[in-house]
Amino acid sequence: MNYENYDPFFPDQLVVDLYLPIWAKLSSFKSKPAFIWAEDGPLVQFSSITYEELNSSAQCISSELLLSLRKNDTVLVLCSPGLEFVEVIFGCQRAGVLAVPISPPHPSFSNGNWHHLLRVMSQTRPKVAIAQREYIKHVEKYVARSSNKKLSEALKKVRWISTEDLNGKKMEMQVENVNFGYNGCNVDDVYLIQYTSGTTAIPKPVLVTAGSAAHNVRVARKAYDLHPNTVVVSWLPQYHDCGLMFLLLTIVSGATCVLTSPNTFVNRPRIWLELISEFKGTCTPVPSFALPLVLKRGHAEATVTGTVNNPISMLSLMNLIIVNEPIYNDCVEEFVEVFRPFGLNPLAISPSYGLAENGTFVSTSWRSSSFDKFSTYKKLLPSARLDEDHVDIEILVVNEDTNEIVEDGIEGEIWISSPSNAIGYLGHPSLTQQVFNATLKNKAGKCYVRTGDRGVVEGEHRFLYVTGRCSDVFKLSNGQEIHPHYLETLTYNSCPNFLRGGCVAAFEMSESEYTSVAVVAEVQSKGEIESDIFLKQICEGIRKTILKEEGVGIGLVVLVKFGNVPKTTSGKIQRWLAKYKFEKSQMNIIMQMKFDNNGNIQSTMQKMMQIGKKEAKKGKKVLVVEEEEGVFFAPTNRTLKSSL
């Protein structure tokens, strides 16, 4: 018989939830922590849930949900990050209902933070919303006094269930004494609507089946060689993509996962290192922007818990999984050199690639017997090795215009065929057909997912490098093509002491006579603004640096206040939204400098735009941008399968 990792302790289950009862019944696992939650403060507080407790909780939540719901009904999950969220996710899968997890907006629903929630409720039409009791009370108060009829009506239509009520049922049931047949998600059931990050457009609802999700995490477990002795440390958002995948991956591996919130990490980056040290973490996924943030704010920070210093040790780390392509080699090398004295092994570096349309995980270039050093392509690290046997996963680089496979060394769109592929976007059949059912020219039959990512295959080992997004590529008048992230990196490097790293957006601007490239960069200062002369020097320096290094003439340089460049929850720049906000005068601009084709200054403007008065109009503007992007999904009465 064939076993995963050649180990009989890894029974191959078709649905992730089916692993839970197996571990819960084993004497060596029932009392083992499945998840540990770290709450930061003067003293870091820990709480945990064992495999037996999680299995019992999943069954109790399932039983409670099915008192008023049917299988395949939709449930909106608005829990804060934590162990309750984990219990609800597995409880929904056990019940066979369709979970829609999203980050809960502040219940005041001010400053336009409610638009995504309203869009989600309109698209998915949930019958139930699950949240903490206190959150529900705030929602009820808002509905009672709000003049926002659309949001109020949507909030009143759903039935609200508190996590406290769901958890209260656990005391009434002794699951270990109840014989029950598994009646949860089937392999082909859509069990999750996972929203895309919104990097290039309004977030889209991806339909993920229970079988494809299980396949995805089994492939990831094999790729990273995870097992019951693995200790995962993660602060990633739990609602989608990598953060959600590692919840499932933990259960499939029989591992232990130490969790904290993204806000905790951003407020105090060093806690990530402390958790790795405290729990001897062996595997940790982080977006690439986290590495320079830790180097800047987390490494030298003097943190004291009580009177005992928290020493850092990374000796246990086997997989430092880096996501958020493209992945710059220089940034990783600097991180390795700084933390090598703390025990970080360079062989632990695991550059990886994934996207919501494939569940999450696609590939990694890491192997346990890897090379001393990765080769690079245009300063980037690889995210896969295509010379290896990937069994049922096929990764191709295709000419996006002709749908033909390109030769190694030539950039094209990355296409994927895998059992992990999701089945489409909810309520958008034409886009589903275009993205999820692509076929190669003159090769009918096999379908691929068009990722929208650009990539290139290089070298003897056929490394795959993810170079950027197809929709973001600048096609200049001289025929040159360039990815905006190169210009953004050069912008920051031109003045790293004044600009904010990872907070620069480059995009094309159409003028009446020509198309130019614009760069918008956040400044670090929250206080007084520098002199006009200094600001002008910064703008001119940005243009000169980019022209020298890449030969691209920037037509517009804009300096904006702290927090004005929009980003996704996973830290990716939303260039499309940055462009929209700039064009609609929704940014606090400090300095704006325009150049002609010869590099001469056409105009200079310094101003501090106060956009507070425009808040009342934001609702209308957000709806406009959705329509312009062509991805506003209207409510529908059709079933999930008929909507594809």
Side-chain angles (χ1 to χ4, degrees):
M1 179 178 288
N2 290 324
Y3 295 99
E4 298 181 24
N5 272 13
Y6 311 102
D7 189 329
F9 285 102
F10 286 99
D12 190 356
Q13 301 297 321
L14 297 179
V15 177
V16 173
D17 182 42
L18 286 172
Y19 286 86
L20 256 182
I22 293 174
W23 302 130
K25 292 175 183 177
L26 294 176
S27 58
S28 57
F29 277 85
K30 59 181 1 179
S31 60
K32 175 184 177 178
F35 296 96
I36 298 171
W37 178 256
E39 193 72 46
D40 201 19
L43 289 172
V44 180
Q45 302 290 327
F46 300 106
S47 53
S48 65
I49 185 168
T50 66
Y51 273 92
E52 185 177 43
E53 290 168 341
L54 182 56
N55 183 54
S56 172
S57 178
Q59 184 61 27
C60 293
I61 291 172
S62 168
S63 300
E64 179 67 14
L65 289 175
L66 290 176
L67 290 176
S68 57
L69 295 173
R70 296 181 179 180
K71 284 190 67 174
N72 302 318
D73 281 347
T74 303
V75 175
L76 181 63
V77 181
L78 287 169
C79 304
S80 300
L83 298 183
E84 280 186 335
F85 177 87
V86 175
E87 293 176 88
V88 169
I89 287 296
F90 282 98
C92 286
Q93 187 170 158
R94 184 72 58 87
V97 297
L98 175 55
V100 188
I102 66 169
S103 176
H106 192 277
S108 65
F109 302 114
S110 58
N111 300 324
N113 71 350
W114 51 270
H115 293 293
H116 182 57
L117 173 61
L118 181 58
R119 184 168 54 248
V120 169
M121 298 182 80
S122 172
Q123 292 167 5
T124 64
R125 305 174 78 86
K127 291 192 174 181
V128 163
I130 300 175
Q132 275 90 2
R133 183 175 294 154
E134 194 64 28
Y135 189 89
I136 296 174
K137 288 180 180 178
H138 284 293
V139 170
E140 291 170 345
K141 289 179 181 178
Y142 174 83
V143 169
R145 68 174 190 273
S146 173
S147 59
N148 187 334
K149 291 184 179 180
K150 283 188 177 181
L151 180 59
S152 296
E153 286 300 316
L155 294 173
K156 284 193 292 186
K157 279 183 180 178
V158 299
R159 186 168 66 87
W160 291 81
I161 299 178
S162 73
T163 53
E164 289 84 352
D165 287 341
L166 289 176
N167 288 330
K169 300 295 181 181
K170 288 190 291 186
M171 301 301 295
E172 303 173 14
M173 295 182 64
Q174 296 295 324
V175 174
E176 61 270 20
N177 296 326
V178 178
N179 292 319
F180 62 91
Y182 185 77
N183 196 34
C185 286
N186 298 318
V187 174
D188 295 328
D189 288 343
V190 176
Y191 95 104
L192 173 74
I193 295 181
Q194 174 174 238
Y195 273 81
T196 59
S197 61
T199 307
T200 59
I202 297 290
K204 298 183 285 294
V206 178
L207 299 170
V208 182
T209 66
S212 65
H215 176 271
N216 195 247
V217 290
R218 287 201 306 270
V219 170
R221 190 190 60 73
K222 292 178 183 178
Y224 297 123
D225 195 22
L226 305 187
H227 45 74
N229 290 330
T230 294
V231 178
V232 177
V233 175
S234 174
W235 51 264
L236 297 180
Q238 299 174 8
Y239 307 99
H240 66 154
D241 286 351
C242 201
L244 179 58
M245 182 195 79
F246 266 88
L247 302 184
L248 307 182
L249 186 54
T250 296
I251 299 304
V252 169
S253 305
T256 295
C257 183
V258 183
L259 299 165
T260 192
S261 73
N263 287 340
T264 296
F265 170 78
V266 171
N267 292 333
R268 194 168 74 84
R270 184 184 168 98
I271 192 172
W272 172 52
L273 306 176
E274 292 173 2
L275 293 177
I276 293 173
S277 307
E278 172 78 14
F279 291 95
K280 294 181 172 54
T282 62
C283 174
T284 183
V286 290
S288 53
F289 78 83
L291 303 186
L293 182 63
V294 170
L295 289 174
K296 187 173 184 178
R297 291 181 46 217
H299 170 48
E301 179 185 331
T303 302
V304 177
T305 302
T307 58
V308 182
N309 289 324
N310 292 332
I312 300 301
S313 172
M314 303 183 80
L315 281 168
S316 60
L317 203 58
M318 301 296 294
N319 293 99
L320 176 52
I321 299 170
I322 304 173
V323 296
N324 272 30
E325 65 288 333
I327 303 169
Y328 279 86
N329 180 55
D330 290 348
C331 172
V332 174
E333 282 194 340
E334 182 182 3
F335 188 87
V336 169
E337 287 308 307
V338 169
F339 285 97
R340 194 193 293 264
F342 295 86
L344 177 60
N345 187 342
L347 295 180
I349 300 300
S350 310
S352 301
Y353 172 54
L355 70 160
E357 287 83 351
N358 189 61
T360 292
F361 177 80
V362 173
S363 62
T364 180
S365 53
W366 177 88
R367 292 294 180 271
S368 56
S369 57
S370 193
F371 317 97
D372 291 335
K373 192 174 183 181
F374 289 112
S375 58
T376 61
Y377 172 82
K378 293 185 177 180
K379 304 178 182 179
L380 304 178
L381 288 176
S383 297
R385 276 183 62 186
L386 302 189
D387 66 337
E388 297 186 335
D389 184 9
H390 291 276
V391 190
D392 51 1
I393 300 176
E394 186 177 8
I395 303 173
L396 303 176
V397 178
V398 178
N399 183 309
E400 56 258 48
D401 296 322
T402 66
N403 289 9
E404 296 176 296
I405 299 174
V406 302
E407 296 180 359
D408 289 2
I410 298 176
E411 274 195 30
E413 183 180 17
I414 300 171
W415 287 21
I416 302 165
S417 175
S418 166
S420 294
N421 291 163
I423 61 174
Y425 298 120
L426 173 63
H428 209 290
S430 59
L431 193 59
T432 293
Q433 180 65 28
Q434 177 185 340
V435 173
F436 291 87
N437 296 297
T439 56
L440 294 171
K441 185 177 180 180
N442 300 325
K443 292 186 179 180
K446 195 169 189 178
C447 289
Y448 296 83
V449 166
R450 299 187 66 156
T451 67
D453 292 315
R454 274 283 193 96
V456 63
V457 177
E458 280 274 354
E460 175 187 353
H461 297 286
R462 304 198 71 231
F463 281 117
L464 172 69
Y465 299 85
V466 182
T467 55
R469 297 287 296 180
C470 298
S471 59
D472 288 338
V473 175
F474 297 148
K475 296 183 179 180
L476 306 177
S477 56
N478 61 0
Q480 179 186 4
E481 290 188 351
I482 189 168
H483 292 280
H485 61 82
Y486 288 112
L487 309 185
E488 293 160 356
T489 301
L490 288 171
T491 296
Y492 171 71
N493 290 341
S494 70
C495 193
N497 294 325
F498 182 70
L499 304 178
R500 291 190 70 206
C503 298
V504 182
F507 47 82
E508 287 186 313
M509 295 286 292
S510 295
E511 303 290 342
S512 56
E513 65 275 13
Y514 64 92
T515 299
S516 65
V517 175
V519 171
V520 177
E522 284 186 18
V523 301
Q524 291 186 23
S525 174
K526 294 183 181 179
E528 295 183 4
I529 302 303
E530 303 288 345
S531 67
D532 289 11
I533 295 176
F534 177 76
L535 294 174
K536 290 177 182 177
Q537 289 174 342
I538 295 295
C539 293
E540 290 177 320
I542 289 171
R543 188 183 191 281
K544 289 178 180 177
T545 299
I546 293 175
L547 185 62
K548 178 182 177 182
E549 296 294 330
E550 292 290 349
V552 177
I554 300 298
L556 183 68
V557 177
V558 184
L559 303 180
V560 297
K561 289 188 70 176
F562 186 100
N564 269 242
V565 174
K567 299 163 75 173
T568 69
T569 56
S570 54
K572 295 181 180 180
I573 296 295
Q574 294 175 295
R575 300 180 183 97
W576 65 277
L577 188 54
K579 178 179 179 179
Y580 178 83
K581 285 179 172 289
F582 173 75
E583 291 179 335
K584 299 299 181 181
S585 300
Q586 294 180 5
M587 286 186 168
N588 282 332
I589 297 174
I590 299 169
M591 173 66 73
Q592 177 176 316
M593 186 171 286
K594 189 175 182 181
F595 303 88
D596 63 20
N597 282 339
N598 297 318
N600 300 315
I601 299 174
Q602 284 189 316
S603 63
T604 302
M605 178 171 57
Q606 182 180 17
K607 62 179 179 178
M608 291 298 297
M609 277 176 37
Q610 300 300 325
I611 62 174
K613 296 180 181 179
K614 301 186 179 183
E615 292 295 332
K617 299 180 181 179
K618 277 190 175 180
K620 182 178 179 182
K621 290 185 176 182
V622 170
L623 291 178
V624 169
V625 72
E626 289 177 354
E627 292 166 3
E628 289 174 354
E629 288 297 314
V631 292
F632 183 80
F633 300 87
T636 175
N637 291 319
R638 292 177 296 176
T639 64
L640 290 179
K641 290 187 177 180
S642 67
S643 70
L644 295 177

